[in-house]
Amino acid sequence: VAIQVAWATDWVSRADVNQAVPYIGAKLVLSGGAEGYPAGQAVEDFADLHAQARLSATPDNILGSLVVPKENLEKAVRIANAHLRAPLLDDKWLVRVRDGLAAQMAEIGARPEDRGFAALRWVAFGDAPIRAALSLDQPGMISSVTRDDVALWRRTVLARANARLVIAGALDAQEAGRMVDALLEGVPEGARIPALSIRANLRPGRILLHVPDAQTSTLAFVAPLPPAAEDGEMEDLILVRALGGGENGVLFDAVRTRLRAAYGFGAGLDGYTRANRLLVLRGQVATDKLAQTEEAVRTAYSAFRSEGPAGPVSRLKAPLAERLRRRADDPASMAFSALMAVLDGQSPQMTFELQQLLDAVSEASLKARLQKVYPAAQDFVVLAVSPNADALPGACVITAPEQAADCP
């Protein structure tokens, strides 16, 4: 049985709060003990029940997951409820969680490629709270989080009225309703938080972050795509795989096979929030071929956007069809898919209709999608990170991520 829960959060839009709190709070609620459960015990109790429990923060939602054999469901729900209803938020565990997050962010901040994407967030949001929430890079923001901060966040965000929940498994409606009630029993009622309306401002441009001690160069093309709620997601999954899915991808062929400028060059879908979805083309590139690679990617992408993916549509759809087939027997995947549909303002029933949506994909729909919503080659933000400040002629050269906000 799988239970998936989402609580909307507006924390990243507020300048009056510490943006690190949701990330620390999500970990501390489950690890910091609860009424009847000493700090750290829940991890062992869930393991004994062969259950997996998780609470994690994203910029616009706090996501909770509980996956457990049906025979242990009631016990696992009882443990989860205690931590949602009456968490201890143990001070020693707070320090442990803070220290762990600080170490993780320090490691990320030291990697040249990640510093490049930090620069991109300055382009997208400037000095807005959401940028700080995505980067967690302000001095002292993690170490200054207090138990009171987490307690306030927990009361306002992890509220009963703010929860959207999906349960999947071998349960009838009565059993499912009873488990939902048990999970949320005694949780603060609170109020529903509306979905975020923040939009990234990813204006086209060319930026090079100069990192003298970088071992190689990184090149990325980034542009917005419509949110998944606006349909076309099946086409996107197929198109992105054809564009950058391993050795058979269009970009791999252009950059690795023909130019010999990189070990690989891929494409993927990413996002700052569910409403801010991104197309990302990226790869590590030989510094002396950075400018050539930029031109090769533009040329290959433009041809792909104009002509569409090569090969029969049935072959392009096959990997996705296999994923859907495996997922149909996995309650956790089905529940998560249904929850994502709910967050997008759609019916959870859509999780049973994905194969039909895939069946409807055609050569015409793929080409129409490319022409309608995919950016032209000149509409990307091109981001390079390189030990050579002159490796991308004409780019806005910066030495620190925050300087990207001032690039034209």
Side-chain angles (χ1 to χ4, degrees):
V1 177
I3 303 176
Q4 303 280 356
V5 194
W7 293 267
T9 175
D10 60 356
W11 213 262
V12 298
S13 66
R14 297 172 53 185
D16 62 326
V17 296
N18 186 330
Q19 304 300 329
V21 171
Y23 300 93
I24 292 171
K27 292 182 179 296
L28 188 61
V29 164
L30 283 185
S31 64
E35 184 179 87
Y37 300 90
Q41 182 178 321
V43 175
E44 297 179 7
D45 288 345
F46 282 128
D48 290 342
L49 296 173
H50 304 288
Q52 299 174 354
R54 188 181 181 197
L55 200 62
S56 60
T58 71
D60 45 0
N61 289 285
I62 307 301
L63 301 177
S65 173
L66 179 63
V67 182
V68 59
K70 183 179 178 181
E71 61 269 20
N72 295 333
L73 178 59
E74 291 196 25
K75 293 179 181 178
V77 165
R78 193 177 307 126
I79 298 170
N81 168 258
H83 287 76
L84 293 174
R85 172 177 48 81
L88 299 179
L89 308 178
D90 181 86
D91 282 318
K92 290 182 179 179
W93 278 79
L94 170 61
V95 173
R96 182 180 300 187
V97 171
R98 277 192 329 217
D99 289 350
L101 181 60
Q104 178 186 353
M105 297 313 300
E107 180 181 349
I108 291 173
R111 295 198 290 255
E113 182 177 7
D114 288 298
R115 291 179 63 194
F117 282 96
L120 191 66
R121 291 190 284 272
W122 278 98
V123 175
F125 299 109
D127 197 17
I130 188 172
R131 189 216 62 82
L134 289 165
S135 296
L136 298 179
D137 58 357
Q138 295 179 342
M141 71 182 304
I142 295 175
S143 61
S144 64
V145 172
T146 67
R147 185 185 183 281
D148 287 344
D149 292 333
V150 176
L152 173 63
W153 166 82
R154 198 273 308 185
R155 288 194 304 272
T156 55
V157 174
L158 301 187
R160 187 183 182 99
N162 192 39
R164 284 150 296 178
L165 188 148
V166 173
I167 185 169
L171 301 169
D172 60 32
Q174 184 175 3
E175 290 176 308
R178 188 163 56 86
M179 287 300 98
V180 170
D181 290 341
L183 179 67
L184 298 178
E185 182 180 2
V187 173
E189 184 62 26
R192 175 65 67 91
I193 296 174
L196 285 179
S197 59
I198 296 172
R199 289 293 182 270
N201 178 27
L202 278 175
R203 57 191 182 276
R206 299 167 72 246
I207 301 169
L208 185 144
L209 174 64
H210 183 213
V211 182
D213 59 352
Q215 298 302 305
T216 186
S217 293
T218 298
L219 183 66
F221 288 65
V222 182
L225 283 181
E230 296 182 12
D231 298 329
E233 188 171 15
M234 287 297 174
E235 280 83 359
D236 289 343
L237 293 172
I238 292 170
L239 290 170
V240 167
R241 181 180 177 87
L243 186 58
E247 295 183 7
N248 295 320
V250 168
L251 298 179
F252 186 98
D253 179 66
V255 176
R256 168 64 177 145
T257 305
R258 299 186 186 182
L259 191 60
R260 298 287 177 180
Y263 290 110
F265 208 95
L269 299 171
D270 205 340
Y272 294 124
T273 67
R274 291 198 65 76
N276 287 272
R277 196 155 160 262
L278 303 174
L279 173 63
V280 182
L281 321 177
R282 66 195 284 189
Q284 289 192 326
V285 179
T287 299
D288 62 349
K289 291 187 176 181
L290 192 60
Q292 289 176 272
T293 303
E294 180 191 13
E295 185 59 31
V297 170
R298 286 189 190 277
T299 300
Y301 173 81
S302 293
F304 179 83
R305 183 173 181 266
S306 175
E307 301 166 10
V313 175
S314 58
R315 179 175 60 80
L316 296 172
K317 292 197 286 188
L320 189 51
E322 176 60 20
R323 280 171 53 187
L324 292 179
R325 186 193 64 76
R326 293 197 305 267
R327 161 190 163 283
D329 296 324
D330 180 6
S333 295
M334 295 292 284
F336 184 77
S337 175
L339 180 61
M340 294 303 103
V342 170
L343 295 184
D344 288 336
Q346 300 166 334
S347 168
Q349 182 68 26
M350 179 171 283
T351 194
F352 297 106
E353 300 169 355
L354 295 180
Q355 184 60 54
Q356 298 173 32
L357 294 175
L358 179 60
D359 291 341
V361 173
S362 65
E363 181 179 348
S365 73
L366 291 171
K367 288 185 175 181
R369 181 72 174 172
L370 282 168
Q371 291 299 310
K372 182 179 179 181
V373 306
Y374 275 64
Q378 66 269 20
D379 292 335
F380 284 90
V381 180
V382 178
L383 172 72
V385 181
S386 179
N388 181 356
D390 302 318
L392 204 65
C396 176
V397 179
I398 60 175
T399 56
E402 60 269 22
Q403 296 170 359
D406 298 323
C407 283

